[in-house]
Amino acid sequence: MIRMVRSLMKIWLVTYMACGCVACRSNKKSHPLEGEAAVSVPCLRDMGIVRPIAGWSRGDSNMTRFKYRDGRIVGGYSTEYGTFIVETHPLAFRVFKEKKSVATGRVREVCFKPVRVAPEGHVVYMEFNGMEQETANGGKARPFRGEVSASYDSEGHITEMNYHRENSSGYRETGVARYTWKDGNLETVVSDVSHTNNLYERHEIYTFGYDMQDSLKLNPGIYLQEMNCFPGLYDFIWYAGLWGKTTRRIPQTVTYEKVGDGENRSETQSITFILRPEKNAAILSYGGVPRFSFDYFPVSCP
């Protein structure tokens, strides 16, 4: 009888551990983690976002739509990576495609959990697990996992992000991004990424220039694409305010430098931002070419 009980306990333990792989599909409260008390997504107003966006679209037809509740992002949809959900008990993120794809590197589902936050509501650490399908792997699902950590200054701006990702084939990617700020404006983003077996190492630098006299350059609430250095971190996490405040002003120029991965180049582009408050819309252009369009709707916090 004792042996039978022990055997049943072992089976229960294995089953319990296996269920952890799909923990993001459940809203049941688990034992609290360190820093988990502040699970509420920050109010966008507190992040300096005065015009929360309803969504954005890109020239290649990719678009993202956000859903809000009480001034906070709760989910949405993207043509690029599918549906995303923000859970808050405890804080977690889930991204999934409704239909499977065999495109190289296409993510089928990824869950960010656990997510640990600072008292201000900024993410300081999170883990993620997911499945992807690759043509090179015969269309078979391949699991991957990783973790991200971040540091912030006293004003709530991100200063460093560390990223690690690996899949079941032993492919590993490690990166670090460093951010410098002045008077609430993003000055530089420097990122270094390395891959297993020296597939490539990449060093990138973005330097931003500002026209401090132009009041029209005040940022109504967008995050610059250059802030997101790692492809596995989705833009909705930035727009939820969970990676800290965005830049106070829209830059006038951006200089891009890249070393490694078979390239060594540098180029400077002008940035223009046209806000049409009467239409609740805006356009962000690089080098005179419209790159992103945004639309807004009023969002207030309780």
Side-chain angles (χ1 to χ4, degrees):
M1 181 67 180
I2 295 176
R3 289 181 179 178
M4 182 179 297
V5 171
R6 288 178 176 173
S7 298
L8 290 173
M9 287 297 293
K10 288 181 180 180
I11 294 173
W12 176 86
L13 180 61
V14 170
T15 304
Y16 177 82
M17 293 178 67
C19 289
C21 295
V22 293
C24 216
R25 299 178 186 177
S26 173
N27 290 325
K28 292 183 180 179
K29 181 71 175 178
S30 60
H31 294 292
L33 296 167
E34 180 183 355
E36 194 180 86
V39 297
S40 179
V41 176
C43 175
L44 299 178
R45 178 188 57 208
D46 298 334
M47 296 296 102
I49 298 177
V50 296
R51 286 178 177 266
I53 67 170
W56 60 265
S57 59
R58 206 164 57 194
D60 57 5
S61 75
N62 279 334
M63 55 81 71
T64 297
R65 308 298 299 175
F66 299 108
K67 293 181 180 179
Y68 293 86
R69 185 181 301 123
D70 296 331
R72 296 167 171 85
I73 288 179
V74 295
Y77 175 78
S78 167
T79 53
E80 187 173 9
Y81 51 80
T83 301
F84 53 90
I85 299 171
V86 179
E87 300 177 355
T88 56
H89 299 290
L91 184 60
F93 316 119
R94 182 184 172 208
V95 182
F96 58 94
K97 276 280 191 180
E98 294 292 344
K99 296 180 180 180
K100 298 179 181 180
S101 170
V102 295
T104 301
R106 175 62 65 187
V107 173
R108 183 179 66 179
E109 182 171 355
V110 58
C111 175
F112 295 83
K113 185 180 181 178
V115 180
R116 303 181 186 181
V117 296
E120 299 79 13
H122 306 148
V123 171
V124 294
Y125 175 82
M126 66 183 183
E127 299 174 7
F128 58 89
N129 292 273
M131 299 290 290
E132 63 188 352
Q133 292 183 320
E134 299 176 347
T135 303
N137 193 35
K140 297 180 180 179
R142 176 176 293 173
F144 64 89
R145 64 163 302 277
E147 57 185 11
V148 192
S149 61
S151 303
Y152 304 85
D153 62 22
S154 59
E155 296 180 352
H157 299 107
I158 190 168
T159 56
E160 182 173 308
M161 178 182 289
N162 290 274
Y163 176 85
H164 174 77
R165 183 182 188 274
E166 61 184 44
N167 66 20
S168 58
S169 299
Y171 176 89
R172 294 189 299 275
E173 179 182 59
T174 301
V176 57
R178 296 180 175 88
Y179 306 78
T180 59
W181 303 79
K182 183 179 179 181
D183 299 326
N185 298 309
L186 181 63
E187 286 197 315
T188 62
V189 178
V190 180
S191 69
D192 290 277
V193 180
S194 59
H195 291 255
T196 312
N197 301 325
N198 295 321
L199 289 177
Y200 64 81
E201 293 187 358
R202 186 171 67 244
H203 179 70
E204 295 177 303
I205 303 174
Y206 295 94
T207 305
F208 302 94
Y210 294 86
D211 180 2
M212 302 302 290
Q213 304 302 317
D214 190 350
S215 61
L216 296 178
K217 293 289 184 178
L218 286 173
N219 184 4
I222 70 169
Y223 282 81
L224 300 174
Q225 62 171 346
E226 294 85 0
M227 298 176 71
N228 192 1
C229 298
F230 308 115
L233 300 181
Y234 302 99
D235 68 322
F236 76 89
I237 305 179
W238 289 89
Y239 277 97
L242 290 165
W243 292 127
K245 293 182 178 180
T246 184
T247 184
R248 183 170 179 268
R249 291 177 177 266
I250 299 293
Q252 188 178 32
T253 61
V254 56
T255 299
Y256 171 64
E257 301 173 70
K258 181 177 181 179
V259 179
D261 194 17
E263 294 186 62
N264 189 344
R265 63 189 177 97
S266 175
E267 63 177 316
T268 299
Q269 285 188 317
S270 62
I271 298 179
T272 57
F273 185 79
I274 300 176
L275 176 65
R276 296 190 174 95
E278 73 282 359
K279 295 184 178 181
N280 287 320
I283 296 177
L284 183 69
S285 300
Y286 284 76
V289 179
R291 188 82 61 84
F292 298 94
S293 59
F294 304 87
D295 55 283
Y296 301 87
F297 58 79
V299 174
S300 60
C301 297

